[in-house]
Amino acid sequence: MTTPTEDFLPEADPRDAIGPAMASFRAGDPLSSIAAAANMHSYQMLRLLCSRVADRAEEQRSKAIRDRCYATGAALWHERERFEQLHAAGIDFRDIPKVLAALGAPVDVDIAVEMLRSTHMFKDILYRVRQQQGGIGAGIAAPTDALSLLYVTGLHRGVKPDCEMALGMMPVSSIADIRDLLGTRHPHRDTARILGIIEATAQAIRSGNVAGISSSEYGELAEVIALHLDDAGTPSGASGPAPADELRRRLGLGFWDTALGSVGLQLPSTRDRFNAAEFADAAAGFMCAYDQFGSPKEVASYDSWMIAETAAGRDRPSAVAIMRHFAAWESVIGAVMPSEIEDEYDGMVNHIRAGNNVQEGWAKAGELVSEVLANMPWNSFLSIQYADDDTEGLAPYAQAVPSADGVWFEIVSEKYLPADQWPIEKGYLTRNRWSAPDSNFPNWYKDGIPHIEAGHQILEGLRYGRGCDDASKLQWHTGEFPTGPGPDGGVTLDDALNGIVQTLSNAA
């Protein structure tokens, strides 16, 4: 299998690049710009980002891209007369944003250039801008859309119906909408149960006790409900919950997490944002349009296409997410090949996918630890243990102390955890700029690391410096100087800040 080049461009160093790259990624900058700023190839930058990007970074980038795309589309729409004049004067389509910016227009040039790569797609973008600004009535939500989402989510999460609360709390118009949807001859007891689940789910959301639902989960359950209505002999004209794609379009302007947000829900995780069919559709869509954005072998080309698709209101996986799903970039391209060609790669793809899942687990743990460090008071410390059942009390650990200048942290040296009982890779630690133990600091340590990066570097020290190969065995808690509370179990960020243990599984 031929892979994209992995060589760094001259003088590129991932240890220096990762901090600025992550900040740019979360801010929604195009991958091509992020790679160019680090003097790296886009594929190598993507691999570097994969070591850091998990739910929080994906969520922040998605929101940033949407905001920037909408603002840029609105600015180009506002400048449409000058835009047309410049185009008529022979200025290249993609150079027009630079000229507009030079003339003082508030145009995000990086995003505008990506949006203008396809003239066909740019028409979709302008249509969406007009729609969001109220110029077009398409995409208006039906009265029962939010009720459908609440009902299916509540059913999926096992929410118990509260018919009395529904009668007392739900607007009369909502009750009438559900009855009209189901038909006047639908059994009244079933209608009451549906209303009870809807209102109980709404109450649970307000209390913060209901997680969201993925698009695929919603779609599958909505289809089952519709079939059940048919099997039960529900009168003609009745219908079930709105299909997922209609909710995505009408409630979310193309985005499932926006549709969830309209009723106060959030996705359980970034992985739940897309199902397998949507990953395949993204790969096929990119392969149909890549000639407008560059070579399909370049991951930056996909990223450019994804940004333009986002601007047009079509939610697509990020380059990180789609490579993780297909295991390798060749598989993204191969997703539209005949099945007999794909079969040749199955074994290797499955192996790479397993490795990607491990990497994502470490990235998620690094995000969580970094978030704890960023929110800790400066008179506190973070303790991280690798809880392996076979260690008999002797296991690697790390400690960290945040400050205004960054984070100081250490991982246990061979003085306290002998190398013959637990291996230590001094070469890795030295190459990655850990300071060796001395008379003042008996453990390997680093100082002044930015909070957003500190969690990842601590865990990399444990993973590669101390051979801790399973992120699910990590656990961490905080305390205050000179003494603080000990670990006793817990799940939230607030719990961790109060000294209660977190693990990768319960923190997520």
Side-chain angles (χ1 to χ4, degrees):
M1 183 187 300
T2 304
T3 58
T5 179
E6 298 180 10
D7 296 332
F8 288 116
L9 293 170
E11 299 182 3
D13 191 326
R15 294 167 298 191
D16 297 325
I18 189 60
M22 278 303 301
S24 295
F25 181 86
R26 289 172 182 253
D29 290 344
L31 182 60
S32 58
S33 301
I34 299 173
N39 202 29
M40 294 168 67
H41 294 292
S42 60
Y43 181 74
Q44 187 64 35
M45 174 53 71
L46 180 64
R47 290 189 61 194
L48 188 62
L49 290 170
C50 282
S51 71
R52 296 292 188 270
V53 173
D55 289 346
R56 284 153 173 76
E58 287 275 28
E59 182 181 349
Q60 289 181 16
R61 177 172 173 79
S62 177
K63 185 179 186 305
I65 288 176
R66 292 180 201 180
D67 290 345
R68 290 176 66 174
C69 283
Y70 176 69
T72 302
L76 291 176
W77 174 256
H78 181 73
E79 296 289 336
R80 59 189 180 278
E81 291 186 9
R82 276 204 288 186
F83 189 102
E84 292 170 358
Q85 291 170 356
L86 292 169
H87 189 234
I91 297 177
D92 186 84
F93 216 46
R94 284 180 288 174
D95 288 333
I96 292 176
K98 302 173 186 177
V99 177
L100 289 174
L103 294 173
V107 176
D108 186 332
V109 174
D110 286 344
I111 296 296
V113 168
E114 307 294 7
M115 291 166 57
L116 289 168
R117 288 181 183 237
S118 167
T119 54
H120 174 74
M121 196 177 293
F122 188 55
K123 293 178 181 178
D124 291 344
I125 293 169
L126 291 182
Y127 177 88
R128 182 167 184 256
V129 170
R130 292 172 60 199
Q131 178 182 339
Q132 287 184 292
Q133 292 183 337
I136 295 176
I140 297 175
T144 54
D145 282 347
L147 301 176
S148 293
L149 185 49
L150 289 170
Y151 174 59
V152 176
T153 300
L155 203 63
H156 177 68
R157 299 297 177 192
V159 173
K160 294 182 179 180
D162 191 329
C163 299
E164 291 184 0
M165 182 181 292
L167 182 61
M169 298 288 294
M170 289 187 71
V172 174
S173 59
S174 295
I175 296 174
D177 289 336
I178 290 295
R179 295 186 67 178
D180 289 343
L181 179 71
L182 295 171
T184 56
R185 288 188 291 164
H186 186 79
H188 297 308
R189 191 177 298 276
D190 286 353
T191 301
R193 183 183 60 84
I194 291 171
L195 293 169
I197 289 176
I198 291 172
E199 184 56 34
T201 303
Q203 292 292 331
I205 291 172
R206 286 191 279 271
S207 301
N209 295 328
V210 174
I213 185 172
S214 71
S215 174
S216 58
E217 289 170 337
Y218 176 93
E220 291 169 3
L221 187 50
E223 186 175 342
V224 169
I225 294 168
L227 290 173
H228 175 72
L229 290 174
D230 288 340
D231 292 342
T234 302
S236 176
S239 60
D245 58 345
E246 292 187 12
L247 292 188
R248 187 193 297 271
R249 176 170 53 85
R250 295 195 300 240
L251 287 180
L253 287 172
F255 304 98
W256 183 248
D257 53 339
T258 303
L260 291 179
S262 70
V263 297
L265 288 167
Q266 291 184 329
L267 282 172
S269 71
T270 303
R271 279 182 173 237
D272 293 321
R273 196 163 140 206
F274 305 100
N275 59 32
E278 289 167 328
F279 277 107
D281 184 61
F286 170 59
M287 291 303 294
C288 288
Y290 74 83
D291 57 334
Q292 303 276 344
F293 298 89
S295 168
K297 295 182 180 180
E298 276 291 325
V299 296
S301 300
Y302 174 86
D303 185 71
S304 296
W305 174 80
M306 181 273 297
I307 290 173
E309 285 282 283
T310 299
R314 294 185 284 269
D315 205 7
R316 300 295 192 179
S318 72
V320 171
I322 200 168
M323 189 170 80
R324 280 178 175 157
H325 176 79
F326 285 108
W329 198 254
E330 293 79 11
S331 298
V332 177
I333 300 171
V336 294
M337 291 182 178
S339 58
E340 61 270 16
I341 298 178
E342 285 186 353
D343 289 343
E344 299 177 10
Y345 300 108
D346 282 350
M348 184 176 294
V349 165
N350 289 336
H351 176 74
I352 297 172
R353 181 176 287 124
N356 288 346
N357 290 339
V358 170
Q359 185 181 50
E360 184 178 6
W362 282 96
K364 184 177 293 187
E367 279 191 344
L368 292 166
V369 171
S370 294
E371 184 175 351
V372 172
L373 287 166
N375 288 278
M376 286 170 58
W378 294 346
N379 64 333
S380 60
F381 65 89
L382 174 72
S383 176
I384 305 173
Q385 296 85 30
Y386 188 70
D388 195 318
D389 295 335
D390 299 328
T391 58
E392 299 180 353
L394 290 174
Y397 64 85
Q399 298 182 112
V401 179
S403 72
D405 300 322
V407 181
W408 180 93
F409 50 83
E410 63 180 1
I411 61 170
V412 61
S413 69
E414 57 272 33
K415 178 178 180 179
Y416 299 112
L417 190 62
D420 59 348
Q421 297 183 31
W422 200 284
I424 186 167
E425 293 292 333
K426 298 180 182 179
Y428 168 82
L429 295 170
T430 301
R431 287 194 306 273
N432 285 275
R433 303 174 182 174
W434 287 77
S435 297
D438 55 32
S439 57
N440 294 319
F441 301 103
N443 288 321
W444 292 83
Y445 67 95
K446 280 190 175 185
D447 194 12
I449 305 302
H451 299 80
I452 194 173
E453 176 65 8
H456 297 284
Q457 292 200 24
I458 295 170
L459 298 189
E460 285 176 343
L462 288 172
R463 183 182 183 186
Y464 300 115
R466 271 303 192 179
C468 304
D469 56 6
D470 187 349
S472 68
K473 293 181 179 179
L474 295 167
Q475 54 180 265
W476 56 94
H477 72 279
T478 61
E480 295 183 357
F481 294 111
T483 59
D488 57 18
V491 296
T492 68
L493 178 60
D494 287 341
D495 288 338
L497 296 179
N498 289 322
I500 298 175
V501 165
Q502 278 192 316
T503 66
L504 179 60
S505 58
N506 69 23

